[in-house]
Amino acid sequence: MYRTRTCGELRLCDEGQNVTLAGWVQRTRKMGGMTFIDLRDRYGITQLVFNEEVNASLCEQANKIGREYVIQVTGTVKERSSKNAHIPTGEIELIVSELNILNAAMTPPFTIEDETDGGDDLRMKYRYLDLRRNIVRKNLELRHRMAFEVRRYLDNERFLEVETPVLVNSTPEGARDFVVPSRMNPGQFYALPQSPQTLKQLLMVSGFDRYFQIVKCFRDEDLRADRQPEFTQIDCEMSFVEQDDVLNIFEGLTRHLFKTLLDTTFDAPFPRMTWHDAMKYYGSDKPDVRFGMKFVELTEMLQGAGFPVFDNATYIGGICAQGVASYTRKQLDGLTEFVKKPQIGAKGLVYARVEADGSVKSSVDKFYSQEKLQEVKAAFGAQPGDLLLILCGDEVNKTRKQLCELRLEMGNQLGLRDKNKFECLWIVDFPLLEWSEEDQRFYAVHHPFTSPRPEDIPLLERDPKAVRANAYDLVINGVEVGGGSIRIYDSQLQDKMFNILGFTEERAQEQFGFLMNAFKYGAPPHGGIAFGLDRMVSIFAGLDSIRDCMAFPKNNSGRDVMLDAPSLLEESQLKELHLEIDPEICGKQ
């Protein structure tokens, strides 16, 4: 073997042993007649020592070694006179007697250190070098351990891991599909699965009872920090269950992961919040409840005083930032500019300070009496030293979303979004359907197989907008990490759902006939959930982007800059697939 020990395991108790190590050169230092090399592998770093007085030729050979050379050394473990408390092997060093250069290396384009000098684009281009960095490797080690613990927990709960196909049919609902042309079926295309949704439902029809899969999913959507074109789900389904059964099992999984991976426990059951309350008090269906600042609606209280902006608004609401009435005019102007950013879209910001004597000083004093401002103060439960921030707008939920962004920004500014603090909650009772003015039709908020709440089924015909879904999301620290629903398993109810969504009988049969026909052979009540493995890992690791817990991610344009993918095909390949490419499109690439 090339090594008898790893670079991270030697300790003072190994002093005097003769060992062989192999790895990459982290750095070299020359001090007088001594040369020191830090040798790195996946497990850690060991300091190597070469002494010119003991072996001049060996020391000269070591002096020619550059960063990231792959070397093999043999030597004797010795206690260090100058110990390094920052690394586990810091009490020992290896006095080298033999050196073998396995592979010379070019100077890397950035330093292979936790605090690297490489930018995102450069590191993504040379991702195989970036993965050598300890901080990146730890993320993938955490991902491995999380996947292992998921399998262990679910196996203990009698779930079976079943693989489903990657080449499936395209469906019109949901996100855009990635499609794959079929050479053997000219003019026809497979789609890469957005999730194994219909397939896992078929497994329930097949009697598998409890299924899971750690599975790749694909969505051709615009990217952001917590979204990639390909991602990994912990996909699960259960038969003969109601909503509470699913939530209890997967709250248990979440607790298991926090305990085993972070030694974090939760004293109480995860709270459950309706979608309506989440939007009303936080302006988001994935609220960050690590801190307060719940919305207070002020529409009736503040209208009719002659302030045109408020008088003409459909919604007026605000938040109370505790203890920051001392914000300067510059800071308040900065918050105004923040909410007026195009991606947020508010027209302005009204503020009010609660002074030390309890009086209220606002940016709209000329329109409101002190008595009215005291009512506003009381509505917030504000105290001296607090700052009230108020937005208004023509659309209720749009303004609430703007206020949500302001709330999160204040949470950031005040240090209230601590990555080492975890708050989990379930969001339930989502709307089943949403109306599209553009298309003049209903769309499923989740997917067409989501069951309505049983008590709301009669509303499907007379008031579809009021129907609540038997659906649920798990939110951790303001990030949706999992979501699912109880499914429709009755053929007649599924037909009614397709009809509401504007499917003709022929189109429904064409797209989902295999599932509808399967239900006719006896489908059990069933439901499930899917967790985003990438998002879970990123939260556990305290990351800002899921890219940092993927081995080979895409950039914000959906490109793999290391592989230079996607790329053009050879003309012969296009002919085989019976495809033609518009030359004008190719010219724009």
Side-chain angles (χ1 to χ4, degrees):
M1 294 179 67
Y2 280 97
R3 60 187 180 188
T4 60
R5 305 291 287 271
T6 70
C7 295
E9 67 176 303
L10 296 172
R11 300 294 187 271
L12 199 53
C13 60
D14 298 306
E15 185 176 19
Q17 288 192 23
N18 198 61
V19 301
T20 300
L21 304 179
W24 287 262
V25 173
Q26 179 79 21
R27 66 178 64 86
T28 62
R29 305 181 304 282
K30 186 170 175 58
M31 300 175 63
M34 308 281 284
T35 296
F36 299 91
I37 291 179
D38 287 345
L39 188 67
R40 181 193 72 242
D41 64 10
R42 169 186 153 190
Y43 305 95
I45 290 176
T46 296
Q47 177 172 280
L48 312 179
V49 181
F50 299 83
N51 192 329
E52 193 176 66
E53 293 183 1
V54 175
N55 191 327
S57 62
L58 188 66
C59 194
E60 183 181 356
Q61 187 182 6
N63 288 336
K64 296 178 182 177
I65 290 175
R67 282 192 295 139
E68 301 307 313
Y69 272 48
V70 184
I71 65 173
Q72 177 191 45
V73 294
T74 299
T76 304
V77 181
K78 181 183 176 183
E79 182 177 4
R80 283 176 67 161
S81 57
S82 178
K83 295 180 173 57
N84 183 351
H86 299 294
I87 57 174
T89 61
E91 291 187 312
I92 60 94
E93 58 193 8
L94 191 71
I95 309 302
V96 179
S97 56
E98 296 178 35
L99 168 63
N100 180 21
I101 298 176
L102 301 175
N103 213 328
M106 295 170 54
T107 301
F110 54 86
T111 55
I112 314 296
E113 304 274 359
D114 285 357
E115 298 296 328
T116 183
D117 56 357
D120 285 350
D121 291 342
L122 188 63
R123 290 188 296 107
M124 289 304 102
K125 183 175 181 178
Y126 296 94
R127 182 62 168 174
Y128 47 86
L129 297 179
D130 194 40
L131 289 170
R132 293 182 186 176
R133 295 197 300 133
N134 182 57
I135 195 169
V136 180
R137 189 189 67 251
K138 282 185 174 180
N139 295 336
L140 294 184
E141 290 174 349
L142 174 62
R143 185 188 182 102
H144 159 77
R145 287 188 286 126
M146 183 174 288
F148 182 87
E149 291 299 335
V150 165
R151 287 188 165 96
R152 185 164 73 157
Y153 176 89
L154 293 176
D155 178 66
N156 206 42
E157 294 290 340
R158 306 193 313 278
F159 283 76
L160 290 176
E161 184 168 13
V162 182
E163 291 185 7
T164 53
V166 173
L167 297 175
V168 295
N169 63 322
S170 181
T171 57
E173 300 291 312
R176 297 182 187 89
D177 288 323
F178 282 102
V179 295
V180 181
S182 171
R183 178 183 61 81
M184 293 182 288
N185 300 276
Q188 295 183 309
F189 295 80
Y190 299 104
L192 302 182
Q194 297 181 28
S195 80
Q197 181 61 49
T198 54
L199 295 163
K200 66 181 179 180
Q201 290 189 253
L202 288 174
L203 287 171
M204 297 302 103
V205 176
S206 303
F208 273 74
D209 188 60
R210 293 189 172 195
Y211 140 94
F212 87 98
Q213 183 181 188
I214 298 179
V215 59
K216 278 283 189 183
C217 300
F218 308 85
R219 294 178 188 174
D220 189 7
E221 292 292 286
D222 295 336
L223 305 186
R224 59 190 186 205
D226 62 352
R227 183 184 287 169
Q228 283 271 300
E230 55 180 308
F231 56 96
T232 304
Q233 280 186 353
I234 305 166
D235 196 58
C236 310
E237 197 79 3
M238 304 169 68
S239 293
F240 304 110
V241 291
E242 296 177 330
Q243 184 181 107
D244 280 353
D245 302 311
V246 178
L247 268 55
N248 289 337
I249 284 284
F250 291 98
E251 183 168 321
L253 170 61
T254 307
R255 289 174 179 274
H256 174 75
L257 294 176
F258 271 107
K259 176 60 180 173
T260 55
L261 300 179
L262 296 182
D263 196 25
T264 295
T265 57
F266 300 90
D267 296 331
F270 295 170
R272 299 184 187 183
M273 182 184 300
T274 66
W275 175 87
H276 178 270
D277 283 350
M279 296 304 297
K280 179 178 180 180
Y281 295 117
Y282 298 97
S284 170
D285 58 6
K286 46 181 184 296
D288 187 344
V289 294
R290 284 174 291 182
F291 63 104
M293 294 192 213
K294 288 171 70 172
F295 296 178
V296 174
E297 186 168 348
L298 305 164
T299 310
E300 291 185 10
M301 186 179 296
L302 293 179
Q303 284 188 331
F307 182 41
V309 176
F310 283 175
D311 289 347
N312 297 324
T314 303
Y315 172 87
I316 307 169
I319 57 174
C320 176
Q322 296 179 346
V324 292
S326 58
Y327 260 34
T328 65
R329 183 56 186 265
K330 182 178 180 182
Q331 287 174 300
L332 292 169
D333 287 346
L335 291 176
T336 302
E337 292 306 311
F338 173 81
V339 299
K340 291 169 70 174
K341 286 181 178 179
Q343 58 268 40
I344 298 175
K347 294 179 180 178
L349 171 69
V350 170
Y351 65 87
R353 310 175 194 268
V354 183
E355 305 289 358
D357 61 1
S359 63
V360 180
K361 178 69 176 173
S362 83
S363 56
V364 289
D365 277 350
K366 67 179 181 178
F367 296 102
Y368 296 97
S369 66
Q370 186 61 211
E371 182 181 9
K372 176 60 71 173
L373 293 174
Q374 287 295 322
E375 287 183 37
V376 173
K377 169 187 162 185
F380 283 100
Q383 301 297 317
D386 291 348
L387 178 67
L388 310 180
L389 302 170
I390 301 170
L391 296 181
C392 68
D394 299 330
E395 298 178 37
V396 175
N397 277 343
K398 180 179 178 181
T399 309
R400 284 174 173 165
K401 289 178 181 178
Q402 293 166 350
L403 194 54
C404 170
E405 294 297 329
L406 177 60
R407 175 181 177 269
L408 295 177
E409 173 63 16
M410 291 306 299
N412 289 331
Q413 290 191 16
L414 300 178
L416 301 175
R417 305 182 74 189
D418 183 356
K419 291 181 179 180
N420 295 312
K421 178 183 177 183
F422 302 98
E423 292 289 345
C424 309
L425 80 156
W426 292 102
I427 303 296
V428 297
D429 291 352
F430 287 84
L432 181 71
L433 303 163
E434 58 184 349
W435 177 257
S436 169
E437 288 292 341
E438 181 179 348
D439 299 333
Q440 288 293 296
R441 56 160 286 199
F442 282 108
Y443 283 89
V445 171
H446 284 78
H447 53 66
F449 317 107
T450 298
S451 175
R453 292 287 299 240
E455 61 269 32
D456 289 356
I457 290 176
L459 296 173
L460 281 172
E461 293 183 0
R462 65 176 186 266
D463 191 7
K465 289 182 180 179
V467 179
R468 295 169 298 167
N470 206 343
Y472 33 82
D473 281 355
L474 179 64
V475 176
I476 303 177
N477 292 1
V479 177
E480 177 203 328
V481 298
S485 67
I486 300 300
R487 321 302 187 191
I488 297 172
Y489 66 96
D490 177 78
S491 296
Q492 291 183 338
L493 181 56
Q494 188 66 72
D495 286 343
K496 183 179 290 187
M497 184 68 169
F498 281 140
N499 185 55
I500 290 171
L501 293 173
F503 282 73
T504 63
E505 187 174 338
E506 293 75 21
R507 186 179 172 215
Q509 187 65 34
E510 178 186 347
Q511 295 290 337
F512 303 111
F514 63 93
L515 184 65
M516 297 162 68
N517 292 335
F519 284 176
K520 296 174 183 177
Y521 291 94
H526 59 285
I529 193 169
F531 286 82
L533 177 64
D534 316 290
R535 291 185 184 180
M536 287 285 278
V537 175
S538 66
I539 289 172
F540 276 49
L543 304 173
D544 294 321
S545 169
I546 64 172
R547 292 198 316 182
D548 294 327
C549 62
M550 294 177 162
F552 300 104
K554 308 292 188 291
N555 68 10
N556 290 337
S557 301
R559 294 196 63 83
D560 186 323
V561 293
M562 182 185 69
L563 299 177
D564 194 23
S567 59
L568 300 175
L569 292 180
E570 296 287 341
E571 188 64 33
S572 58
Q573 291 175 286
L574 292 172
K575 285 183 178 178
E576 246 187 349
L577 296 170
H578 307 279
L579 294 177
E580 290 185 11
I581 303 297
D582 186 336
E584 288 189 16
I585 294 177
C586 293
K588 294 176 183 177
Q589 302 299 315

